[in-house]
Amino acid sequence: MKTDLFMKIEETPATESEGHVKNQSALMSQLEYSISKKIDLLSSSLPRYAVRSMLAGLFLALGTAIGFYIAIRMHGALPGLEKATYAFMFSWGLVMIIFLNAELGTSNMLYTTIGVYKKKMSFAFALKLLLICIFFNLIGGVLSGYLLSLTTPFSHLEPDNFMFTGVAAKLTKSTSQILVEGMFANILVNIAVLASLRIKDDTAKVLVIVFVIFIFSFLGYEHVIANFPAFSLTYFSAHGTLAEMTAGNVLHNLFFTLIGNFIGGGLVMGLGYAWLNNTESKYVD
């Protein structure tokens, strides 16, 4: 089956096909439509936009919880596969977000940057949208993390389980490590977002999202919104006894992860692709 690109550009030599190529970016058109939808969602109803943002926190919490619990159980059954099983199951959180139209702060870093660059929204509106989205991602993630900690899988965990040791490692990373890992995490998240915009078939879309998110999750990169439920689920499940989970360590991780995520998702992917397609070239995305 031909992709959208090959439907527009026939497989003929460049000299013969140049006249048939249009200077129109299909990707940018789809992004601009999504940006206008986000503007309308926030402008028409702040409470509804807040709920969509809280749902993103919930969906990531569910992906995080099943990922952690399967990894914990895998430790006894097939040691060494904990990270792979965690990464695979965690990936389904973004599938839920994209298919159910929840609002995720890290993907909105891409949308708002492009929106400002292409003058579809003001800087003030973009900042407002981003802050509201991230704040309610936080509310949804923390609340979901707390409620999940009350469920049977997380009621009686061993002190050295995969979740506790994994989160403890996150909280002791250096500033430079968090920044770089945050950058790569959101590059990958937005690769999945951009790919999902171009893919029409739902099955193919799911596969791309799962395997792209698997990369950042398996490599242990830092994603600020995913850390909201991960940290809260760990804190409440450990009943506040995890030594590395201090207010300073949590704030340090979240702050620099947020900056790294914006560099990766907003500047590298958002501004990068907006600039690449702001051209007179006939060959655009």
Side-chain angles (χ1 to χ4, degrees), residues 18 26 30 34 55 71 91 142 163 183 191 212 231 263-264 282:
E18 282 180 350
Q30 289 171 304
S34 296
L55 286 173
S91 304
V142 171
M163 181 171 73
M183 178 185 72
I191 287 173
V212 172
F231 290 172
I263 293 171
K282 291 176 287 188

Side-chain angles (χ1 to χ4, degrees), residues 235-255:
Y235 176 81
F236 293 117
S237 297
H239 306 289
T241 61
L242 194 68
E244 294 82 359
M245 187 163 278
T246 64
N249 283 347
V250 170
L251 291 174
H252 174 260
N253 178 284
L254 294 178
F255 178 75

Side-chain angles (χ1 to χ4, degrees), residues 105-242:
T106 45
S107 60
N108 277 340
M109 292 174 182
L110 174 137
Y111 288 117
T112 53
T113 303
I114 293 174
V116 171
Y117 180 85
K118 296 185 73 68
K119 296 181 172 59
K120 300 298 180 182
M121 62 174 71
S122 67
F123 177 82
F125 186 89
L127 182 63
K128 175 184 173 183
L129 185 148
L130 202 54
L131 291 177
I132 289 173
C133 183
I134 293 172
F135 176 74
F136 284 103
N137 287 165
L138 171 65
I139 299 300
V142 171
L143 179 60
S144 300
Y146 168 69
L147 293 174
L148 285 164
S149 75
L150 304 178
T151 62
T152 300
F154 301 98
S155 57
H156 301 288
L157 297 177
E158 297 295 326
D160 61 345
N161 71 78
F162 178 86
M163 181 171 73
F164 290 177
T165 57
V167 169
K170 281 178 170 288
L171 293 170
T172 54
K173 290 179 180 179
S174 67
T175 299
S176 60
Q177 187 176 6
I178 294 171
L179 280 170
V180 173
E181 291 187 357
M183 178 185 72
F184 280 116
N186 212 21
I187 286 174
L188 286 161
V189 167
N190 284 292
I191 287 173
V193 169
L194 293 177
S196 71
L197 289 176
R198 299 304 309 275
I199 298 171
K200 304 302 180 184
D201 180 76
D202 285 345
T203 302
K205 188 179 294 189
V206 169
L207 289 174
V208 168
I209 294 169
V210 167
F211 285 110
V212 172
I213 300 305
F214 179 93
I215 298 171
F216 108 69
S217 184
F218 184 76
L219 293 175
Y221 292 160
E222 297 295 324
H223 185 271
V224 67
I225 312 302
N227 283 349
F228 294 158
F231 290 172
S232 57
L233 176 59
T234 300
Y235 176 81
F236 293 117
S237 297
H239 306 289
T241 61
L242 194 68

Side-chain angles (χ1 to χ4, degrees), residues 81-94:
L81 292 180
E82 297 95 332
K83 284 189 70 174
T85 52
Y86 168 80
F88 178 74
M89 295 310 301
F90 170 82
S91 304
W92 291 89
L94 189 64

